Amino acid sequence: MSETPETQESPAVEESEESGPTLEEEGDVAADYLEALLDIIDADGDIDIDVEGERALVSVIEVNKGELGHLVGDDGEVLSALQELTRLAVARETGERSRLMVDIAGFRAAQRARLQEDAKEAISEAQRTAAPVSMRAMNPFERKVVHDVVAEAGLVSESEGEEPERRVVIRVS
């Protein structure tokens, strides 16, 4: 019978060892990677690490206005690619898949604010007409922002369609 407590403790120890890196650790690895990138391209930027929900958020803040625009690209394409590369670097270092978000020069923050306003307008229309409101096609990040605003307003939303034409449809329950 003395084996029972040991057996009970063993899974708990294994779970803690297998819990993976913390979001703060992911952020640190991502920050190191992005700092090295900034050094390579000889650009100035301050790195800010935060945890937002269930994700690490690493922001590169411009020191000299406009200097990091090429790292964002048109409509954030370069930023999206850098985010994927950063996630790969974190996964290589930690051994775990990462869902971290990268923002450069406040692009994602401004994008989020615009999306929240668009979602609020669509919510108002859905409430006024009681008809489903279909928004424009969006990437997963954009859809998540809209779903969060809709849920906060007490309405229902779902994603419909196939990539790259997947969109959010808002309904009044």
Side-chain angles (χ1 to χ4, degrees):
M1 291 273 177
S2 64
E3 292 180 20
T4 306
E6 290 175 12
T7 307
Q8 290 174 349
E9 288 178 27
S10 182
V13 171
E14 288 177 22
E15 283 179 24
S16 66
E17 289 173 3
E18 293 180 20
S19 64
T22 65
L23 296 177
E24 290 82 7
E25 291 168 335
E26 285 187 24
D28 288 340
V29 171
D32 290 344
Y33 179 80
L34 291 168
E35 282 179 15
L37 174 71
L38 291 174
D39 286 345
I40 289 168
I41 65 171
D42 196 30
D44 290 326
D46 292 329
I47 307 287
D48 183 44
I49 305 169
D50 198 7
V51 173
E52 189 174 280
E54 297 175 12
R55 294 180 181 211
L57 173 63
V58 180
S59 300
V60 181
I61 302 160
E62 284 183 313
V63 173
N64 303 310
K65 188 157 175 66
E67 183 177 19
L68 300 179
H70 62 288
L71 294 179
V72 173
D74 295 334
D75 295 323
E77 289 98 359
V78 176
L79 172 57
S80 293
L82 285 173
Q83 177 173 281
E84 287 307 311
L85 289 172
T86 305
R87 285 177 174 175
L88 288 171
V90 170
R92 186 190 72 223
E93 184 74 24
T94 65
E96 298 284 330
R97 182 177 175 270
S98 174
R99 295 182 53 232
L100 75 89
M101 294 291 296
V102 174
D103 190 8
I104 297 177
F107 178 82
R108 288 212 197 276
Q111 184 183 34
R112 176 174 293 174
R114 284 190 306 273
L115 287 165
Q116 289 170 332
E117 286 306 310
D118 291 349
K120 288 175 184 174
E121 289 175 19
I123 289 166
S124 293
E125 182 180 341
Q127 290 171 327
R128 188 179 79 254
T129 65
V133 175
S134 181
M135 299 187 71
R136 67 174 174 76
M138 298 179 197
N139 67 38
F141 165 78
E142 294 169 326
R143 291 193 308 268
K144 171 80 168 99
V145 171
V146 172
H147 286 305
D148 289 348
V149 174
V150 172
E152 192 174 294
L155 276 70
V156 177
S157 63
E158 60 186 3
S159 294
E160 294 182 354
E162 299 294 322
E163 295 290 353
E165 294 301 315
R166 201 152 166 82
R167 60 192 68 244
V168 175
V169 178
I170 301 170
R171 292 183 172 78
V172 182
S173 307

